[in-house]
């Protein structure tokens, strides 16, 4: 914290939004943020995007929760109420902390004593700190007695992580995105960094200016394509066809690195066999990219000295998302483009701490650091540490938990900082599940669409009000510092988790957040040599670090892989269709995603004056030719319908969207795109198919 004349203070922190993890200086006057600037952090070198620089005012929104709330006895469960028309105090009454905590914990205990831990579940948050994530999963495992704990990683990169764990033994990136500057060839597939990771995109543009090859692959055009040396607008859902065609060229033209494969890779022979029929000529029609371009791109990637691959939700949010990532891993392993500077595999992580929350064990199949809950030795270590016997089977994932509520298996939930009423697929089904819960405790800074369903609401702390560590997409563990006092009676998230733990009988006695970090770091090999004091002192430390006084390893897999045999494993993928393809009734493809100005479900950015002014209303986007072909007009109200529901939105024309496609952002409650999306899951990562379902669009205006 520095004192600066015109401000009361300037606090060094990190951005609360995306996984880039830009370091910030937060200027405060009269307990209000008045300015945010970029600092010289390793991921941003003084840069910030529009969200980080101007999106901070949500913390001062009049919508902030400042008192605990308890649902009125006569209030109907929220279901699908239109939140804009309801006064919260007709549904909830204000309560003391004592009463709210008692109500919350007794509801959990009643279910626990009657039905056991399998009837409970928790959603933590990728927006919270590592310490909060660790405490949250510990509460669910130790206190609730179940592994039914998950968070939004299930909705973003779960399939990437399952493929990476299988292929290279680690779910994190192998090199930071700044290594694009050291690469000769950069592939960006199924990601829109200029929208979703804007500061990372600046490095990609800079790399092109230095003469690097930039290959963008995306079913929607994007503005980064203007900087690309090769732009492949492939057909949605055809990732495996396109990527196997590249692998076919690499195999048939012998562009692979034989020495690297012999020393480090298994599964190459099976891959050769699998991709034999995926010739560029055969796949051109399937993926919509001509054979010559496929050959050229394969050659550029394979023969460059250093090539690196970045990917996003366009790859992962499919029922074949794991297969898509397997193909990317196969590209890197066959060519030896991993384990050196300027090479590697980098799934661009979405939320500010989705990497850290996953590392800290906020997932149903793993303790911290991806240690299986089904491994007897690992589980018994945690049983010794926590002094309780623990659930021996892996828990349910986000969408499975929703289904288990409908099946009367799960009856109570604790949700911290997550908004499944907006983020889950088939939203009416998800909201009906929340409404059906016997007992729901929600902890948040706003009365989100999810909190409306709660029995007890805890007013919590915003990012700018708390101390904690956050791990960005580059594996850099960074410190966020409090700049503001908490509003009203709102309390720190970690203290609330501890109070709930005490309320259900756990003997937890943490005095401050650094003690939580110390306990977490003691069980996580990835944080060895990174004590709390080091992060405080250095601001950002990359894990893993070999010694307390040595910088962390930005590039991993230099000498093999952390797999059972030390080798990277290629798992060949087959071409599978999306779960639901267009037909006569629903002839279009609906795809969903984010906007530059709005972050995820919009809980924060829609309460930011500047950002909501720029993008104030729900939209459905099609290209102008498609709009004309369908007899519609940009600017008019349309209804978009799928087998799950119907949503109204303003029609926008944008040449980036391919023929036959509709794009909708999922951040607008008044036009909730996830009312339409398909909940079918990838069998490995259990991620829903947000990027593809059959839809139709109609005018809402009289002819
Ligand atoms: Fe924040 Fe991401 Fe923008 Fe950086 S790029 S300022 S981390 S939203």
């Amino acid at each position: 914290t520095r004192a600066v004349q015109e401000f009361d203070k300037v606090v060094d922190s990190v951005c609360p939004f995306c996984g880039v993890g830009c370091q910030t200086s937060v200027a405060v006057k009269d307990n209000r943020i008045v300015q945010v600037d970029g600092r010289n952090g390793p991921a941003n070198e003084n840069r910030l995007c529009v969200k980080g620089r101007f999106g901070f005012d949500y913390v001062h929104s009049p919508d902030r929760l400042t008192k605990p709330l308890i649902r009125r006895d006569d209030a109907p469960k929220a279901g699908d109420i239109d939140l804009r028309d309801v006064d919260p105090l007709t549904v909830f009454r204000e309560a003391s902390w004592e009463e709210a905590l008692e109500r919350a914990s007794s509801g959990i205990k009643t279910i626990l004593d009657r039905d056991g831990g399998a009837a409970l579940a928790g959603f933590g948050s990728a927006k919270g700190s590592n310490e909060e994530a660790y405490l949250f999963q510990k509460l669910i495992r130790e206190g609730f007695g179940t592994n039914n704990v998950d968070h939004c990683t299930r909705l973003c990169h779960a399939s990437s992580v399952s493929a990476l764990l299988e292929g290279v033994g680690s779910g994190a990136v192998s090199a930071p995105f700044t290594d694009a500057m050291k690469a000769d060839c950069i592939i960006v597939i199924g990601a829109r960094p200029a929208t979703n990771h804007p500061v990372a995109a600046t490095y990609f543009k800079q790399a092109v200016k230095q003469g690097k090859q930039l290959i963008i692959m995306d079913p929607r055009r994007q503005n980064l394509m203007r900087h690309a040396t090769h732009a492949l607008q492939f057909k949605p859902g055809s990732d495996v066809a396109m990527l196997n065609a590249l692998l076919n060229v690499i195999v048939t033209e012998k562009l692979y690195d034989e020495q690297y494969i012999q020393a480090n890779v298994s599964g190459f022979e099976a891959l050769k066999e699998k991709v034999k029929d995926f010739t560029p000529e055969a796949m051109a029609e399937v993926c919509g990219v001509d054979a010559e371009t496929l050959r050229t791109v394969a050659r550029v990637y394979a023969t460059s000295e250093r090539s690196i691959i970045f990917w996003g939700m366009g790859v992962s949010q499919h029922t074949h998302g794991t297969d898509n990532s397997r193909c990317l891993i196969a590209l890197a392993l066959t060519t030896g483009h991993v384990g050196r500077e300027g090479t590697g595999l980098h799934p661009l992580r979405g939320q500010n701490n989705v990497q850290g929350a996953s590392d800290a064990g906020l997932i149903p199949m793993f303790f911290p650091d991806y240690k299986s809950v089904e491994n007897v030795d690992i589980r018994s270590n945690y049983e010794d540490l926590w002094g309780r016997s623990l659930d021996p089977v892996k828990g349910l994932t986000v969408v499975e938990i929703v289904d288990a509520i409908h099946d009367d298996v799960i009856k109570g939930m604790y949700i911290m900082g997550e908004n499944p009423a907006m983020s889950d697929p088939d939203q009416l089904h998800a909201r009906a599940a929340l409404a059906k819960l016997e007992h729901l405790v929600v902890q948040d800074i706003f009365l989100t669409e999810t909190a409306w369903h709660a029995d007890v609401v805890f007013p919590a702390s915003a990012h700018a009000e708390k101390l904690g560590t956050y791990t960005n997409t580059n594996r850099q563990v960074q410190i966020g510092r409090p700049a503001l006092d908490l509003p009203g009676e709102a309390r720190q998230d970690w203290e609330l988790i501890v109070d709930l733990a005490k309320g259900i009988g756990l003997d937890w006695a943490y005095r401050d957040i650094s003690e939580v970090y110390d306990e977490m770091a003691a069980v996580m090999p990835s944080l060895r040599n990174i004590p709390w004091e080091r992060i405080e002192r250095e601001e950002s430390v990359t894990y893993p670090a070999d010694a307390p006084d040595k910088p962390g390893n930005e590039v991993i897999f230099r000498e093999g892989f952390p797999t059972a045999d030390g080798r990277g494993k290629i798992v060949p993928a087959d071409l599978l269709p999306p779960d639901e393809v267009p037909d006569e009734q629903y002839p279009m493809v609906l795809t969903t995603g984010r906007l530059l100005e709005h972050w995820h479900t919009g809980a924060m950015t829609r309460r930011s004056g500047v950002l909501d002014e720029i993008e104030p209303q729900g939209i459905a986007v099609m290209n102008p030719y498609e709009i004309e072909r369908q007899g519609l007009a940009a600017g008019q109200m349309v209804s978009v319908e799928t087998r799950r529901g119907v949503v109204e939105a303003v029609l926008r024309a944008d040449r980036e969207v391919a023929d036959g496609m509709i794009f909708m952002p999922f951040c607008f409650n008044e036009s909730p795109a996830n009312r339409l999306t398909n909940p079918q899951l990838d069998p490995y990562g259990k991620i829903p198919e947000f990027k593809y379902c059959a839809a139709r669009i109609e005018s809402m205006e009289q002819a």
Side-chain angles (χ1 to χ4, degrees), residues 430-499:
R431 289 187 181 190
L434 293 172
K436 190 178 176 201
L437 282 168
E438 177 185 323
H439 185 62
L440 172 61
V441 181
V442 173
Q443 179 171 317
D444 214 306
I445 61 173
F446 298 117
L447 201 57
T448 60
E449 292 79 5
T450 299
W452 277 95
H453 298 75
D455 296 284
V456 184
V457 181
F458 293 164
S461 44
H463 183 277
E465 294 150 3
K466 60 178 140 193
L467 177 65
T469 63
Y470 301 84
T471 306
N472 70 359
T473 189
N474 288 343
R475 290 183 273 107
Q476 288 152 344
V477 188
Q478 312 199 91
I479 193 149
R481 295 189 176 86
L484 302 171
D485 299 333
L486 286 159
E489 295 176 28
R491 294 186 57 201
Q492 293 291 335
D493 286 270
W494 77 270
E495 291 177 352
L496 292 171
I497 303 168
V498 170
D499 279 353

Side-chain angles (χ1 to χ4, degrees), residues 14-24 43-44 47-53 193 196-200 350 352 596 599:
V14 288
C15 177
F17 293 110
C18 89
V20 169
C22 295
Q23 290 190 0
T24 56
N44 66 315
R47 309 166 202 197
L48 290 179
C49 79
V50 65
K51 287 192 285 288
R53 194 176 293 283
N196 301 319
H197 302 85
V199 166
N352 58 335
L596 169 63
W599 194 58

Side-chain angles (χ1 to χ4, degrees), residues 308-431:
I308 187 165
I309 303 174
F310 297 92
W311 72 98
M313 315 287 93
V315 164
S316 61
Q317 289 177 335
H318 287 281
T319 47
H320 50 268
T322 301
D323 282 339
N324 292 345
S325 291
R326 284 171 171 157
C327 293
L328 299 175
I329 293 163
L331 280 170
L333 291 180
T334 50
T335 53
H337 284 320
V338 66
R340 294 175 290 126
E341 290 190 350
T343 70
L345 293 158
H346 189 125
L348 284 156
R349 307 309 302 254
Q351 302 212 24
N352 58 335
N353 198 38
V354 69
Q355 182 65 56
S358 303
D359 296 344
L362 207 57
I363 34 183
M365 53 292 276
F366 298 122
F367 289 116
D369 262 352
Y370 307 92
K371 302 289 185 241
S372 171
V373 296
E374 295 180 314
N375 180 304
V376 177
D377 294 337
I378 289 164
R379 195 173 59 253
S380 87
N381 282 345
Y382 276 96
E383 287 173 337
D384 291 347
L385 185 70
W386 294 344
R388 296 226 167 183
S389 62
L390 300 172
D391 184 2
V393 292
K394 57 188 178 186
L396 300 174
T397 60
V398 166
V399 175
E400 290 173 335
I401 286 170
V402 166
D403 290 339
I405 298 169
H406 282 290
D407 292 342
D408 293 322
V409 175
I410 288 179
K411 294 167 185 164
M413 282 193 77
Y414 177 28
I415 300 179
M416 177 187 78
E418 190 96 333
N419 195 6
M422 282 292 285
S423 60
D424 280 19
D426 193 3
Q427 190 180 80
L428 292 179
H429 181 72
R431 289 187 181 190

Side-chain angles (χ1 to χ4, degrees), residues 29-336:
K29 180 86 179 159
D30 299 330
N31 201 38
R32 292 183 74 84
I33 299 175
V34 290
Q35 187 173 314
V36 175
D37 291 301
R39 281 192 294 144
N40 193 15
N44 66 315
E45 297 175 294
N46 301 309
R47 309 166 202 197
L48 290 179
C49 79
V50 65
K51 287 192 285 288
R53 194 176 293 283
F54 300 115
F56 54 79
D57 54 332
Y58 72 90
V59 291
H60 304 302
S61 163
D63 292 352
R64 278 296 297 274
L65 291 170
T66 57
K67 281 186 191 309
L69 301 173
I70 291 179
R71 177 174 293 279
R72 291 181 184 278
D73 292 338
D74 56 351
K77 281 281 185 174
D80 191 35
I81 56 174
D82 186 339
L83 310 179
R84 289 165 298 179
D85 298 336
V86 180
D87 174 1
L89 290 179
T90 62
V91 176
F92 300 98
R93 63 178 172 82
E94 293 177 348
S96 67
W97 269 115
E98 199 181 16
E99 186 189 6
L101 282 163
E102 205 290 317
R103 181 70 76 96
S105 49
S106 64
I108 298 287
K109 256 192 95 38
T110 300
I111 296 170
L112 188 56
D113 294 344
R114 188 190 62 214
D115 303 313
L120 294 167
F123 289 162
S125 174
K127 296 190 280 290
S129 67
N130 289 322
E131 296 75 26
E132 289 162 356
Y134 174 80
L135 275 186
F136 192 92
Q137 62 86 36
K138 183 179 172 184
L139 169 66
I140 303 297
R141 294 195 155 105
E142 182 189 340
F144 290 14
T146 175
N147 289 310
N148 293 336
V149 58
D150 210 353
H151 75 294
C152 67
T153 190
R154 194 66 41 210
L155 308 176
C156 65
H157 265 306
S159 52
S160 310
V161 170
S162 71
L164 286 165
L165 286 171
E166 166 193 80
V168 296
S170 164
V173 302
S174 74
F177 62 75
T178 41
D179 260 29
M181 303 287 288
K182 298 173 186 162
D184 302 297
C185 167
I186 303 155
I187 286 183
V188 177
I189 174 168
R192 303 172 71 82
T195 301
N196 301 319
H197 302 85
V199 166
T202 65
Y203 289 92
F204 302 158
K205 292 177 196 169
Q206 232 175 309
V208 178
K209 282 196 180 133
Q210 292 178 0
K212 316 295 171 76
Q213 303 272 328
L214 176 62
I215 300 164
I216 309 272
M217 304 166 168
D218 197 335
R220 277 198 291 150
R221 289 196 67 76
Q222 53 174 289
N223 77 20
L224 206 55
M225 281 181 175
R226 286 192 285 122
H227 303 264
T229 46
H230 306 273
L232 280 59
Q233 193 176 6
F234 63 98
K235 289 184 188 170
S238 70
D239 313 55
V240 168
M242 179 178 68
L243 297 171
N244 271 357
L246 303 185
L247 287 161
N248 172 285
V249 176
I250 288 168
V251 168
T252 53
E253 297 187 9
K254 297 199 176 356
L255 304 177
Y256 48 85
D257 184 336
E258 194 146 16
Q259 225 177 338
Y260 183 83
I261 293 169
Q262 273 184 8
N264 296 293
V265 178
S266 64
F268 183 57
E269 291 307 315
L271 178 82
K272 274 165 109 173
E273 187 58 29
K274 174 67 72 184
V275 301
K276 216 168 45 186
D277 299 330
F278 286 82
T279 62
E281 287 70 25
M283 290 303 109
E285 174 63 27
V286 182
C287 70
V289 179
D290 65 86
E292 205 38 50
T293 301
L294 292 170
R295 286 190 189 285
T296 304
V297 164
R299 289 170 190 149
V300 170
Y301 174 79
T303 60
S304 292
E305 177 62 25
R306 294 164 192 275
S307 294
I308 187 165
I309 303 174
F310 297 92
W311 72 98
M313 315 287 93
V315 164
S316 61
Q317 289 177 335
H318 287 281
T319 47
H320 50 268
T322 301
D323 282 339
N324 292 345
S325 291
R326 284 171 171 157
C327 293
L328 299 175
I329 293 163
L331 280 170
L333 291 180
T334 50
T335 53

Side-chain angles (χ1 to χ4, degrees), residues 449-570:
E449 292 79 5
T450 299
W452 277 95
H453 298 75
D455 296 284
V456 184
V457 181
F458 293 164
S461 44
H463 183 277
E465 294 150 3
K466 60 178 140 193
L467 177 65
T469 63
Y470 301 84
T471 306
N472 70 359
T473 189
N474 288 343
R475 290 183 273 107
Q476 288 152 344
V477 188
Q478 312 199 91
I479 193 149
R481 295 189 176 86
L484 302 171
D485 299 333
L486 286 159
E489 295 176 28
R491 294 186 57 201
Q492 293 291 335
D493 286 270
W494 77 270
E495 291 177 352
L496 292 171
I497 303 168
V498 170
D499 279 353
L500 195 57
K502 286 178 180 165
I504 61 168
L506 297 181
D507 181 23
W508 285 10
Y510 301 100
R511 282 167 306 179
D512 65 49
I513 201 78
S514 69
E515 283 189 2
V516 181
Y517 180 87
D518 291 346
E519 180 180 314
M520 177 176 70
V523 297
M524 291 176 65
S526 63
L527 296 178
R528 198 171 293 143
N529 299 315
I530 311 180
W532 174 266
E533 300 71 32
R534 182 175 179 185
I535 307 172
E536 270 197 316
R537 190 174 62 245
E538 297 181 21
E539 300 279 316
S540 176
V541 186
T542 302
Y543 79 76
D546 297 333
D549 55 354
K550 279 195 173 165
N553 294 291
E554 292 198 342
V555 175
I556 54 175
F557 311 145
R558 285 183 190 272
E559 284 152 25
F561 299 92
T563 51
D565 60 3
R567 301 173 82 84
K569 180 178 168 191
I570 294 174

